[in-house]
Amino acid sequence: MLIVSLFAFPVMAQQLPEWQSQYAIGLNKLAPHTYVWPYGSAAEVKSGHYEQSPYYHSLNGPWKFHWVKNPDNRPKEFYKPTFYTGGWADINVPGNWERQGYGTAIYVNETYEFDDKLFNFKKNPPLVPHKENEVGSYRRTFTVPASWKDRRVVLCCEGVISFYYVWVNGIFIGYNQGSKTAAEWDITDKLQEGDNTIALEVYRWSAGAYLECQDMWRLSGIERDVYLYSTPKQYIADYKVTSALDKKAYKEGIFGLDVTVEGPSTGVSTIAYTLQDTAGKTVWQDAVQVKSRGLSNLITFTEKTIPNVKAWSAEHPNLYTLLLELKDATGKVTEVTGTEIGFRTSEIKEGRFCINGVPVLVKGTNRHEHSQLGRTVSKELMEEDIKLMKQHNINTVRNAHYPTHPYWYQLCNRYGLYVIDEANIESHGMGYGPASLAKDSTWLPAHMDRTQRMYERSKNHPAIVIWSLGNEAGNGINFERTYDWMKSVEKSRPVQYERAEENYNTDIYCRMYRSVDEIKAYVAKKDIYRPFILCEYVHAMGNSVGGLKEYWDVFEREPMAQGGCVWDWVDQSFREIDANGKWYWTYGGDYGPKDVPSFGNFCCNGLVSADRIPHPHLLEVKKVYQNIKSTLIDPKNLTIRVKNWFDFSDLNEYILHWNVTTDEGVVCAQGTKEISCAPHATADVVLGAIKCASAGREAFLNISWTRKEATPFIATNWEVAYDQFVLPGSKKATAYQRERRATKTTRAVDKTTFAVDKTTGALNSLCINGQELLASPIVLSLFRPATDNDNRDRNGARLWRQAGLGQLTQKLVTLKERKTSATALVELRNGKDQKVGEATFTYTLQRDGALNVQTAFAPDTAVVKSLARLGLTFEMNETYSDVTYLGRGAHETHADRKQSGKIAIYKSTPERMFHYYVTPQATGNRTDVRWMKMTNEAGIGCQFESNKPFQFSALPFSDAVLERAKHINELETEGKITVHLDAEQAGVGTATCGPGVLPQYRVAVGEQRFEFTLYPLN
């Protein structure tokens, strides 16, 4: 059946081209339906490799391509087979044309990129620029397989942005608007033997662009697969599966099936189905005659109850295979299709979001489609995405902000991810007020088309547990009607829409970037009937995801607060090479003229980099999201209480590994245990009293969990969860004794010398046997190279810069020197020569050759309103690049993002500790450090300790270079290592979107004292 989505135009609109109308959502397209790829045999259906079917023919690959900046200059008759394209370039399909040398990639967030003086245009829906509207003309030839003779042939374009016309063999087929769901045309009667020609005329902007204002690169062209598939004349046009569980015991499977058969038949045909389990055993089968010889037949099979089905969940993605066979009057199979299905329920039950009757916590992330090709993502990259998500305890993905490539759903079905599928609707640039397109009923057909196509294509996927009506498009009549439609066809899954807030047209309260206090306030209400699940939270831009633990303390305590989805999964950045051959990541504003619309590096907010290398904060997500959590309830007769946060898995699927390790790195006890603990239950595990012979000051109980049997992506040696507890050691042990035993270093006062600068009061020399250890004086440090979050936090970099904390100088007021000590009182002045405070440094050379530095700092609170850090900074020559420390590692941690760091002894280098965020910023920090040392190859160097755990970083770039650089190719080394020893440093928060650094993780502005002891090592 064809669907003609061309509604009656106002008279004026009829004078404009279709791409300037909100009504022109498609012409001659097939009605939306589930994927009905024809397979060569029943055995092929289970694999899902539809591309290998003899009735599938890909049109991906090189196409002839012509690009113009203005529609008036396009080759208007290029679609004719006689038109000569020999002089045209080739372009790869799929792939956005901006990533292949044409036009300009533009990144903006909330606005329309064409609503800008660069394009001489102001937004005026449905109109878009004409003169500046780029057009890409695509053409290629193809040959239809001989085996397709006398069969029906369908052309499918999975995704083309933003609007396009289609011709086959010079015959106009139709057009489409809406870039993220398939558009199909029956081209059977347009084909010929031998070579055929297909042509697409693609417009960068159209009326549809007003509904595609997502936070992403604005790109153009054919970005998903183009292909043909062939069916018999009578064919399976659509089917809808019901595969739920009974809502009493959630043990029995409820199976229902509706099939639409279309096309003429010369006799009485039969539609049959077979349901098979994972072993290939037939669970149920049935057949019904297609009695009508009309063009469309809806067959509803009798609903079946299947006892003791294996339910589908993200933890146990049990799948069944549904085979559909169409047979002619003789019983011959004429068509085979089908899919994998899963039995599960998804519902709001007693105000809570439940899978299979069990309230679940959404441990989610959002995911844009992004690769170096643009919006085109290979199967291999999708597989890498899901592998990383599964390995890092993510159980939910929100398809932000549009339906994705069909292979992604197959992966989520097979490997177990809950999916929030979202309609390709975002009109952010129109705001949420009266101008919102949500309130303009002339846009209802476009809203409804995008919603229906999302639903129909993906309705049979068990992984989809929630539908989303769109994103950041205001609320109004159009979303009320799409909600009403979804609820009329969807009986088994909730429907959400963030901008509905607490209006009727959302089943989930799914606000974004709400604070912990706001979540608490919502769940404290007495009349709520919807769970709070944040569709976006903890904006992972740059050095971020601070305060995640505080969110999950609430989610694990409050029944109706059920988690959220981190923004975002992958940095939307592109790798380029500069004129000097240095590579770097790009972001908004890096392409096109100087005044190109841009929202800068706001597109770089992933848990992983664009090439899928995890950022440090992904490890924090893994740790906080982990499903096995322990607390130490008896530190003497070591006993832990284990909480099983899995929803459907007993802990007998896992092995507990434990050890007690001293602060010298000596393992004094270890073992493994297997326990049974039902989902959501707790169990106490007694490890017993442990006595360490080593005289360390501390010991650490490490708890680690691995799978007993491997599952896809999770090997038996992959750590799925871990906890660590600090145990008291020998009170007599000292860090000096520990280090001396480890390094056999001799220390003596006469081998250590120090000097204090007479104008700044700074320590400007520290020597061991006459060898200088410092490359710059040790001075007070209150600033850090601003992170993306710091630049947005109201308590962050703006206040630090106002106070001039990044340009501090020290002015000596008094200096008292003795034989082995010195006390310097200094004024701290900023770049404007304002006094920002006073500090007193007391330097004391100890008998063992160590230099103790005590600092008292008193800020001028009229100038200083916030501090990035409180500590010391200096430089050492790059020869001292062997870094060893006892603290949290092995990756970067911060005060509000350190749950994932294990305290242990680590060895590293400044280069390895530096993390290359897309925009350079503060990085490399380590927390809860007991001691740190930096040495050269000969073991000469310095060890640093404090009277309490401290933080440090040792990086190959100076603070000034990091603060100045906008891309990583601008980073220059100067042969020195910049060292920070911090008594306190502010957390990183998530202020680029959402809360800033929480009060408990800020540095107090007031009089403070701290000390460090420096041990020169010989």
Side-chain angles (χ1 to χ4, degrees):
M1 182 179 73
L2 296 176
I3 182 168
V4 180
S5 301
L6 184 56
F7 289 75
F9 282 66
V11 174
M12 183 179 296
Q14 291 182 21
Q15 301 171 2
L16 297 170
E18 291 88 353
W19 48 269
Q20 295 273 33
S21 170
Q22 72 267 47
Y23 297 102
I25 53 182
L27 180 66
N28 299 331
K29 295 188 297 185
L30 298 186
H33 58 84
T34 195
Y35 285 104
V36 285
W37 297 299
Y39 291 87
S41 67
E44 293 180 0
V45 175
K46 188 175 179 64
S47 70
H49 296 153
Y50 55 89
E51 304 99 328
Q52 297 175 12
S53 166
Y55 302 116
Y56 177 98
H57 183 69
S58 174
L59 297 181
N60 291 350
W63 289 50
K64 289 298 180 183
F65 184 69
H66 185 278
W67 176 86
V68 294
K69 292 184 178 181
N70 185 312
D72 296 336
N73 297 325
R74 75 192 191 282
K76 297 180 178 61
E77 297 187 343
F78 84 104
Y79 60 86
K80 295 181 178 180
T82 56
F83 188 95
Y84 182 64
T85 59
W88 286 15
D90 284 347
I91 194 169
N92 287 322
V93 170
N96 297 105
W97 70 52
E98 289 85 354
R99 296 300 299 154
Q100 301 187 63
Y102 302 92
T104 300
I106 299 175
Y107 168 66
V108 288
N109 174 17
E110 301 172 357
T111 59
Y112 297 110
E113 70 276 20
F114 51 80
D115 180 21
D116 190 86
K117 62 182 180 180
L118 181 66
F119 303 108
N120 303 302
F121 191 81
K122 288 188 177 295
K123 62 187 178 185
N124 182 25
L127 303 182
V128 293
H130 182 101
K131 183 180 178 182
E132 296 82 5
N133 197 0
E134 301 166 11
V135 180
S137 301
Y138 293 79
R139 221 181 79 175
R140 67 160 288 169
T141 59
F142 63 92
T143 302
V144 176
S147 60
W148 290 15
K149 188 175 181 180
D150 298 326
R151 291 173 61 89
R152 170 177 171 266
V153 178
V154 175
L155 166 67
C156 180
C157 297
E158 286 283 0
V160 183
I161 187 166
S162 160
F163 182 100
Y164 59 103
Y165 298 98
V166 188
W167 295 263
V168 172
N169 292 328
I171 303 170
F172 179 59
I173 301 300
Y175 57 74
N176 184 58
Q177 183 186 120
S179 65
K180 302 299 186 184
T181 49
E184 295 181 329
W185 292 269
D186 185 333
I187 61 170
T188 308
D189 60 352
K190 311 298 189 297
L191 298 174
Q192 61 193 24
E193 290 189 11
D195 286 345
N196 292 267
T197 301
I198 180 172
L200 269 68
E201 185 175 88
V202 183
Y203 290 75
R204 175 165 196 167
W205 296 312
S206 71
Y210 280 99
L211 296 183
E212 298 184 358
C213 185
Q214 289 98 342
D215 177 13
M216 63 185 185
W217 287 96
R218 309 297 168 84
L219 304 171
S220 320
I222 304 175
E223 57 185 19
R224 289 190 190 157
D225 304 322
V226 181
Y227 57 88
L228 308 173
Y229 66 89
S230 176
T231 73
K233 295 295 185 183
Q234 187 182 47
Y235 58 94
I236 300 169
D238 194 11
Y239 61 95
K240 180 177 180 179
V241 178
T242 299
S243 53
L245 300 174
D246 75 280
K247 292 191 177 181
K248 292 183 179 179
Y250 295 90
K251 297 292 185 183
E252 295 182 333
I254 310 299
F255 179 79
L257 177 64
D258 295 331
V259 182
T260 301
V261 175
E262 295 188 358
S265 172
T266 57
V268 177
S269 54
T270 302
I271 182 70
Y273 76 82
T274 303
L275 187 64
Q276 297 177 343
D277 62 16
T278 53
K281 179 183 176 183
T282 296
V283 175
W284 206 275
Q285 56 187 15
D286 200 355
V288 172
Q289 286 187 335
V290 183
K291 296 179 180 179
S292 169
R293 296 188 184 181
L295 294 182
S296 183
N297 302 272
L298 176 62
I299 295 95
T300 298
F301 286 90
T302 303
E303 188 174 90
K304 305 293 183 184
T305 299
I306 304 172
N308 298 317
V309 295
K310 291 185 177 180
W312 186 96
S313 68
E315 295 171 27
H316 299 284
N318 297 306
L319 291 173
Y320 292 72
T321 302
L322 174 66
L323 304 173
L324 291 173
E325 294 179 320
L326 185 62
K327 302 176 183 180
D328 64 18
T330 68
K332 177 184 176 183
V333 175
T334 58
E335 185 181 16
V336 179
T337 190
T339 189
E340 292 178 315
I341 69 167
F343 288 89
R344 61 104 188 90
T345 61
S346 175
E347 60 186 327
I348 306 300
K349 183 179 180 182
E350 297 177 355
R352 303 177 72 184
F353 173 58
C354 298
I355 299 293
N356 302 339
V358 178
V360 301
L361 291 176
V362 171
K363 300 179 176 184
T365 182
N366 288 268
R367 175 185 175 268
H368 262 297
E369 290 182 310
H370 180 80
S371 78
Q372 296 309 292
L373 295 174
R375 206 69 55 203
T376 301
V377 182
S378 68
K379 285 190 171 185
E380 292 76 14
L381 210 52
M382 287 185 242
E383 291 163 1
E384 182 67 14
D385 281 344
I386 200 164
K387 179 185 81 171
L388 287 167
M389 289 180 189
K390 293 295 290 186
Q391 288 179 339
H392 290 84
N393 296 322
I394 290 168
N395 70 1
T396 303
V397 62
R398 176 176 174 231
N399 291 338
H401 297 290
Y402 39 79
T404 63
H405 189 284
Y407 187 59
W408 180 247
Y409 302 88
Q410 289 188 11
L411 293 175
C412 295
N413 292 338
R414 292 172 188 169
Y415 300 118
L417 274 182
Y418 300 127
V419 173
I420 303 170
D421 207 18
E422 190 155 85
N424 182 27
I425 301 173
E426 180 171 339
S427 55
H428 205 153
M430 298 304 298
Y432 302 154
S436 168
L437 299 186
K439 306 178 191 303
D440 183 348
S441 61
T442 68
W443 286 82
L444 177 57
H447 283 72
M448 191 65 74
D449 180 73
R450 290 164 184 253
T451 304
Q452 290 175 342
R453 288 185 174 273
M454 170 189 70
Y455 171 78
E456 297 293 355
R457 79 194 282 262
S458 299
K459 59 196 173 193
N460 296 323
H461 290 299
I464 297 176
V465 296
I466 299 171
W467 300 105
S468 171
L469 300 177
N471 182 68
E472 295 178 325
N475 197 31
I477 184 68
N478 294 333
F479 286 104
E480 291 171 353
R481 295 294 81 81
T482 55
Y483 175 84
D484 293 343
W485 181 85
M486 284 290 288
K487 298 302 286 186
S488 74
V489 297
E490 177 58 81
K491 305 301 182 185
S492 62
R493 285 173 277 211
V495 179
Q496 72 175 40
Y497 180 51
E498 191 266 344
R499 292 312 308 162
E501 299 187 6
E502 292 189 73
N503 291 312
Y504 90 92
N505 55 320
T506 182
D507 300 330
I508 296 170
Y509 188 60
C510 52
R511 297 297 306 282
M512 54 178 66
Y513 304 112
R514 302 297 95 181
S515 69
V516 168
D517 287 341
E518 288 172 298
I519 298 170
K520 290 178 181 177
Y522 174 82
V523 299
K525 295 179 180 180
K526 295 182 180 180
D527 57 345
I528 56 173
Y529 59 92
R530 291 176 282 210
F532 197 156
I533 302 174
L534 289 91
C535 64
E536 298 173 22
Y537 79 129
V538 289
H539 195 255
M541 183 176 176
N543 191 346
S544 191
V545 193
L548 184 65
K549 176 183 180 294
E550 280 66 30
Y551 276 103
W552 281 85
D553 287 345
V554 175
F555 296 149
E556 292 176 349
R557 184 177 66 246
E558 296 290 346
M560 293 189 68
Q562 290 187 254
C565 296
V566 174
W567 186 269
D568 185 11
W569 173 245
V570 58
D571 285 343
Q572 295 182 69
S573 51
F574 297 118
R575 189 193 296 268
E576 301 288 1
I577 307 294
D578 69 13
N580 298 314
K582 297 177 69 174
W583 77 271
Y584 63 104
W585 293 117
T586 63
Y587 47 79
D590 286 339
Y591 302 98
K594 182 179 179 181
D595 56 352
V596 68
S598 169
F599 210 71
N601 68 325
F602 203 71
C603 55
C604 304
N605 39 38
L607 292 173
V608 298
S609 64
D611 55 356
R612 274 51 177 187
I613 302 301
H615 290 308
H617 46 228
L618 178 59
L619 296 175
E620 189 78 358
V621 170
K622 176 189 176 183
K623 177 67 176 72
V624 176
Y625 277 11
Q626 72 185 34
N627 293 301
I628 312 173
K629 298 187 176 183
S630 304
T631 53
L632 181 64
I633 60 174
D634 186 347
K636 293 184 177 179
N637 188 38
L638 290 183
T639 304
I640 58 173
R641 179 159 293 159
V642 180
K643 170 73 172 184
N644 181 0
W645 281 102
F646 283 109
D647 300 308
F648 306 103
S649 304
D650 193 290
L651 292 190
N652 59 19
E653 297 179 29
Y654 297 84
I655 297 176
L656 183 160
H657 308 261
W658 66 274
N659 69 65
V660 176
T661 302
T662 70
D663 54 5
E664 293 178 306
V666 177
V667 177
C668 52
Q670 60 185 327
T672 60
K673 281 186 176 292
E674 296 183 25
I675 68 170
S676 292
C677 182
H680 301 165
T682 58
D684 291 350
V685 180
V686 179
L687 305 176
I690 304 296
K691 211 165 191 182
C692 291
S694 176
R697 287 193 300 188
E698 294 176 314
F700 307 99
L701 170 60
N702 297 301
I703 305 295
S704 176
W705 299 83
T706 60
R707 282 202 60 84
K708 190 181 298 184
E709 297 179 2
T711 59
F713 307 136
I714 310 295
T716 55
N717 62 350
W718 182 262
E719 187 175 63
V720 298
Y722 57 93
D723 285 296
Q724 185 182 61
F725 306 99
V726 179
L727 306 175
S730 169
K731 295 181 180 179
K732 297 180 180 179
T734 65
Y736 157 62
Q737 290 171 330
R738 295 198 313 278
E739 198 282 327
R740 183 173 62 181
R741 287 198 299 273
T743 64
K744 296 184 173 61
T745 298
T746 302
R747 298 173 175 145
V749 173
D750 59 0
K751 294 182 179 180
T752 303
T753 61
F754 75 98
V756 177
D757 189 282
K758 299 299 190 291
T759 59
T760 66
L763 185 74
N764 65 358
S765 177
L766 180 65
C767 295
I768 177 74
N769 288 335
Q771 182 168 335
E772 181 62 63
L773 298 178
L774 302 181
S776 72
I778 297 180
V779 296
L780 189 72
S781 177
L782 307 175
F783 183 80
R784 70 181 177 203
T787 67
D788 293 312
N789 285 325
D790 291 338
N791 284 323
R792 298 252 180 156
D793 195 325
R794 64 182 182 181
N795 295 299
R798 180 178 60 84
L799 295 181
W800 306 339
R801 293 188 180 108
Q802 281 180 359
L805 301 184
Q807 297 84 37
L808 286 185
T809 56
Q810 296 181 184
K811 180 180 179 182
L812 184 68
V813 177
T814 61
L815 176 64
K816 298 179 181 179
E817 293 185 291
R818 298 179 180 83
K819 183 178 180 180
T820 59
S821 67
T823 300
L825 172 64
V826 305
E827 281 187 359
L828 299 163
R829 309 194 76 83
N830 62 21
K832 300 176 184 178
D833 202 31
Q834 290 176 296
K835 180 181 176 181
V836 298
E838 291 185 340
T840 300
F841 298 98
T842 302
Y843 308 102
T844 304
L845 190 60
Q846 300 177 163
R847 294 180 60 188
D848 58 5
L851 182 68
N852 178 261
V853 181
Q854 295 189 12
T855 306
F857 168 62
D860 184 336
T861 54
V863 178
V864 179
K865 305 298 182 183
S866 174
L867 297 171
R869 64 187 350 142
L870 179 64
L872 305 175
T873 188
F874 55 96
E875 293 175 319
M876 296 179 70
N877 287 324
E878 63 183 359
T879 53
Y880 299 104
S881 61
D882 292 336
V883 181
T884 308
Y885 68 96
L886 172 62
R888 293 194 184 274
H891 55 278
E892 171 183 299
T893 56
H894 292 271
D896 60 352
R897 199 188 78 210
K898 64 180 184 179
Q899 303 304 308
S900 55
K902 299 177 187 175
I903 302 172
I905 297 173
Y906 298 98
K907 295 180 182 292
S908 191
T909 65
E911 177 64 34
R912 287 175 177 161
M913 290 192 291
F914 184 88
H915 186 74
Y916 286 84
Y917 294 103
V918 172
T919 301
Q921 54 198 272
T923 182
N925 192 61
R926 293 337 191 235
T927 58
D928 289 336
V929 178
R930 276 60 172 167
W931 55 263
M932 183 270 286
K933 66 178 179 179
M934 299 175 65
T935 60
N936 60 19
E937 290 183 350
I940 297 173
C942 195
Q943 178 159 316
F944 308 93
E945 298 183 10
S946 183
N947 59 339
K948 64 178 184 178
F950 61 96
Q951 304 181 48
F952 89 91
S953 63
L955 303 177
F957 307 108
S958 69
D959 286 359
V961 167
L962 288 178
E963 177 74 359
R964 184 171 61 245
K966 301 303 179 186
H967 298 83
I968 61 177
N969 60 326
E970 299 167 24
L971 295 174
E972 298 289 345
T973 58
E974 300 168 330
K976 298 175 183 178
I977 301 166
T978 298
V979 182
H980 280 279
L981 303 175
D982 290 329
E984 303 286 347
Q985 188 183 157
V988 292
T990 177
T992 45
C993 254
V997 177
L998 297 175
Q1000 62 266 38
Y1001 299 121
R1002 298 175 198 156
V1003 179
V1005 179
E1007 294 187 17
Q1008 296 196 61
R1009 295 176 178 271
F1010 62 93
E1011 67 177 80
F1012 286 96
T1013 303
L1014 286 57
Y1015 294 91
L1017 303 177
N1018 185 13

